[in-house]
Amino acid sequence: MVSSAWRGWLAAFAFLASVTALVILSRSTNPSIGFYVAAMSIGSAAVALSLWKSPAITARTVMLVAVAAHGLALFGETRFEDDFYRFIWDGWRVLETGTPYGVAPLDFYDNLAVPPAMQQVLEWINYPELPTIYGPVLQGLFAITTLFSGADPLGLRILFGGATLLISALLLRRFSPEKVALFAWSPMVVAESTLHLHPDILLSLTLVAALYWGRRHPVMGGALLGLAAGVKLVALAAWPVLLRLPPKAMIAAIVALLALYSVFAVQGQGVGFETTATFASDWYFNAVTYELLDAAFGPEFGRLAALGIAGVLVLWAHAIAHDFERVPLGFVFGAILLFAPTVNPWYLVWILPFAVGRREVTPYVASVVLPLSYFTGFNLDDLNLADFDVHPYALVAERLLLAAAIGYDIFRAWQRSPAAQKPKLCPISEPKVSVIIPALNEETSIGKTVQGILKAAPTGLSQVIVADNGSSDDTAQLAREAGASVVYEPERGYGAACLTGLSAVSPDANIILFMDADLSDVPEEAASLLEPIISGEAEMVIGSRALGQVEKGAMTTPQRLGNWLAPALVRMIWRMRYTDLGPFRAVRRSSLDALAMADRDFGWTIEMQVRAAKLDMRVVERPVSYRRRIGQSKISGTIRGVLAAGTKILYVIAREAFGDFGAADRRKARPSDAAKTKDVTISA
């Protein structure tokens, strides 16, 4: 078996040999596209296989080998690609007129004012009938490189190679060297940055930097994400990460992007959006799955369907992330490319930096197979293929290998062994249960509810608290007469009442039981909710009406729909299976404090369940009965209440999934609202 150290050196040799072969071939008079693609693909495969089992490599070795490879690439020539002529032309136009937008290169063909060197560049620009599409950040950088190197692409090589090395350096601050080497030593990364001169590496640089500095410096993180969108608008797919930072990060991103475009917009020749629209609606190349949607829905609706599917996957990827630094941007951009009508091989540099530290094989298989897209009619000189048609055999190989890799990663994720068993909870030897009953104008039922739970006398019952939510009837008086303590919360809201009730809980209470005041819950079933907590089986127990018996007419159709939709979303995002949002529930006191409950109205129950899922608490459900309530419901009894509750529940799920502008982090730094000392009026 090859030792760990030798595998590292083998990867370095394969990397440098591949880059050397690419440089030599690029300088040949008539290089073979077959040998050229083989150098990229075989080199990428050899590097990935050598590094996959984490050989021993130092950070210095990673950087020295990467610098050597990019240094070699500076002596290469750009073959089989001609986009860089547009970059040089755009840079010259910025220097001459202040903007490259609005006028197509074709309009300059007979312009004698164009210098001879730029006339030669002009002859090689692809799609000369279209104005430029590239973003304002790139235009500024193109101007700088053109200023110093003119029509020579050396300035671009240094810029893109330097960006790749900076990414590697930033990744080494977060990940081990052997993991970073999978990116830094990728022949395809060198080929598509320093050799082929594609600016997409600058998109990756700004995104990696944003993730690195964003948590500590939110304004800088936001500004970097604004710069990323100024490189390519596809970076907007990463912007939901800003919801996990304070609001100033989002403001910085918006201001930065608007400022970048404003520099060119004020000149009155546009900012390239017209060509962007042409690209989005008409261009097609090397698609992975888009053909299926095109066949099913036609070109126009096929693109909309692709955008919709990719959009859902992007949002899901952001939602399942646990925190700012772990948002899977590789999956985000991978989902976009999977359904995009145009998939150029250099787009893979959007993904590879964010594959570092993960164990999915798909990005590395893609680095092996996407070079096959260079087998076009033009590069093969095949008269049977259009210039930009990929050879059918290459397309089949790409799709089959990518499908196999994606399937393998999905299978591994599905079969991944569960996390180590959490330490068993200690049973509660002396349970002390406080019951909290929020109530608003429930005089017809509150007495029977309190008497019912006192008569049921579940194990450990020590306190019944009715949180009067500003009742205008005799709710408070009847609750006291029935044997409950009453606390007052004038601010309307189910969550507000529950929080006030919690502030009145006895200090020695170790279990909290919540139930409604309208006799819809069956007090005798409280024991079944408390038993799993007392025994140490669970931290929270939800009384599930979906698993129990619901009296006819007790739940409306909107309630049933909401009780299906919200748990389904929670399961998709946090992999916690719930069947109900029922209010009848019991929670271990210490676990409830850890949830830092804050919602003050309809979002209380879903907030509790989502945060329990995010903290990976032990939650079980027990079937409970549900009776027709006495009196009219404040929520399901009115259309306004139904809409307000439904909207709030979806909002809470979205807030907990995508972030709440850093509020979650601020909550972690202070005691929960439930644990705070609060002045309340209690009457017994």
Side-chain angles (χ1 to χ4, degrees), residues 233 444 580:
L233 287 175
T444 57
D580 195 7

Side-chain angles (χ1 to χ4, degrees), residues 129-316:
E129 70 280 5
L130 294 174
T132 188
I133 195 174
Y134 298 101
V137 171
L138 294 179
Q139 300 302 343
L141 294 173
F142 295 159
I144 293 172
T145 56
T146 302
L147 177 65
F148 286 99
S149 59
D152 190 332
L154 180 62
L156 292 170
R157 294 194 197 285
I158 295 172
L159 172 64
F160 299 155
T164 309
L165 293 173
L166 280 174
I167 292 174
S168 300
L170 286 173
L171 291 175
L172 283 169
R173 292 175 175 269
R174 292 186 59 197
F175 302 102
S176 60
E178 63 274 9
K179 290 181 172 61
V180 176
L182 282 165
F183 167 79
W185 292 1
S186 169
M188 188 176 183
V189 171
V190 176
E192 298 301 352
S193 56
T194 309
L195 200 54
H196 294 170
L197 298 175
H198 290 293
D200 298 72
I201 197 68
L202 298 172
L203 171 69
S204 296
L205 174 60
T206 49
L207 291 173
V208 169
L211 290 184
Y212 179 74
W213 277 297
R215 179 69 75 187
R216 289 172 294 171
H217 308 287
V219 172
M220 181 185 293
L224 285 166
L225 281 165
L227 286 175
V231 174
K232 284 202 166 183
L233 287 175
V234 71
L236 293 173
W239 274 33
V241 302
L242 292 168
L243 298 173
R244 300 176 184 274
L245 297 178
K248 57 187 176 183
M250 180 68 78
I251 295 171
I254 294 171
V255 169
L257 185 58
L258 291 177
L260 289 167
Y261 274 104
S262 296
V263 171
F264 295 99
V266 295
Q267 300 181 59
Q269 296 189 50
V271 288
F273 289 161
E274 64 279 4
T275 307
T276 302
T278 300
F279 175 86
S281 61
D282 297 340
W283 289 10
Y284 175 87
F285 176 77
N286 194 42
V288 180
T289 63
Y290 171 72
E291 279 187 354
L292 298 175
L293 298 173
D294 182 74
F297 302 106
E300 181 179 351
F301 290 104
R303 288 176 185 261
L304 289 175
L307 179 63
I309 295 171
V312 169
L313 290 174
V314 165
L315 292 176
W316 179 74

Side-chain angles (χ1 to χ4, degrees), residues 471-489:
S471 299
S472 58
D473 61 8
D474 292 331
T475 296
Q477 178 63 31
L478 293 172
R480 280 193 296 270
E481 292 176 357
S485 299
V486 178
V487 296
Y488 297 94
E489 176 51 69

Side-chain angles (χ1 to χ4, degrees), residues 508-588:
D508 60 354
N510 45 33
I511 302 176
I512 311 298
L513 177 71
F514 296 93
M515 64 185 299
D516 277 354
D518 55 14
L519 276 183
S520 56
D521 300 323
V522 179
E524 290 76 15
E525 294 177 344
S528 68
L529 303 185
L530 297 172
E531 189 278 328
I533 296 178
I534 295 172
S535 67
E537 177 188 351
E539 295 170 85
M540 180 163 74
V541 182
I542 298 170
S544 172
R545 298 164 295 186
L547 300 178
Q549 297 294 321
V550 179
E551 185 179 355
K552 185 177 181 180
M555 292 184 70
T556 64
T557 299
Q559 279 181 295
R560 293 179 184 275
L561 176 62
N563 275 352
W564 167 82
L565 178 59
L569 291 173
V570 173
R571 187 176 185 183
M572 288 173 57
I573 299 170
W574 293 285
R575 300 181 183 180
M576 178 77 82
R577 187 178 186 275
Y578 296 123
T579 63
D580 195 7
L581 305 181
F584 201 14
R585 56 183 60 197
V587 192
R588 187 180 280 238

Side-chain angles (χ1 to χ4, degrees), residues 278-363:
T278 300
F279 175 86
S281 61
D282 297 340
W283 289 10
Y284 175 87
F285 176 77
N286 194 42
V288 180
T289 63
Y290 171 72
E291 279 187 354
L292 298 175
L293 298 173
D294 182 74
F297 302 106
E300 181 179 351
F301 290 104
R303 288 176 185 261
L304 289 175
L307 179 63
I309 295 171
V312 169
L313 290 174
V314 165
L315 292 176
W316 179 74
H318 279 284
I320 63 173
H322 292 290
D323 54 41
F324 175 79
E325 289 86 358
R326 288 191 285 176
V327 173
L329 291 185
F331 181 93
V332 166
F333 293 115
I336 292 172
L337 295 185
L338 185 62
F339 293 96
T342 299
V343 181
N344 289 306
W346 53 89
Y347 292 170
L348 189 60
V349 300
W350 304 351
I351 298 173
L352 286 174
F354 306 106
V356 173
R358 304 179 66 88
R359 300 303 291 177
E360 288 85 1
V361 303
T362 300

Side-chain angles (χ1 to χ4, degrees), residues 76-118:
E77 295 183 7
T78 303
R79 296 286 187 166
F80 311 113
E81 283 298 327
D82 53 13
D83 286 353
F84 72 96
Y85 290 107
R86 172 80 74 161
F87 310 156
I88 295 171
W89 174 258
D90 282 0
W92 179 76
R93 290 271 297 137
V94 172
L95 293 173
E96 289 293 307
T97 66
T99 179
Y101 297 113
V103 182
L106 187 64
D107 296 341
F108 290 86
Y109 273 18
D110 298 322
N111 191 332
L112 298 179
V114 177
M118 289 301 157

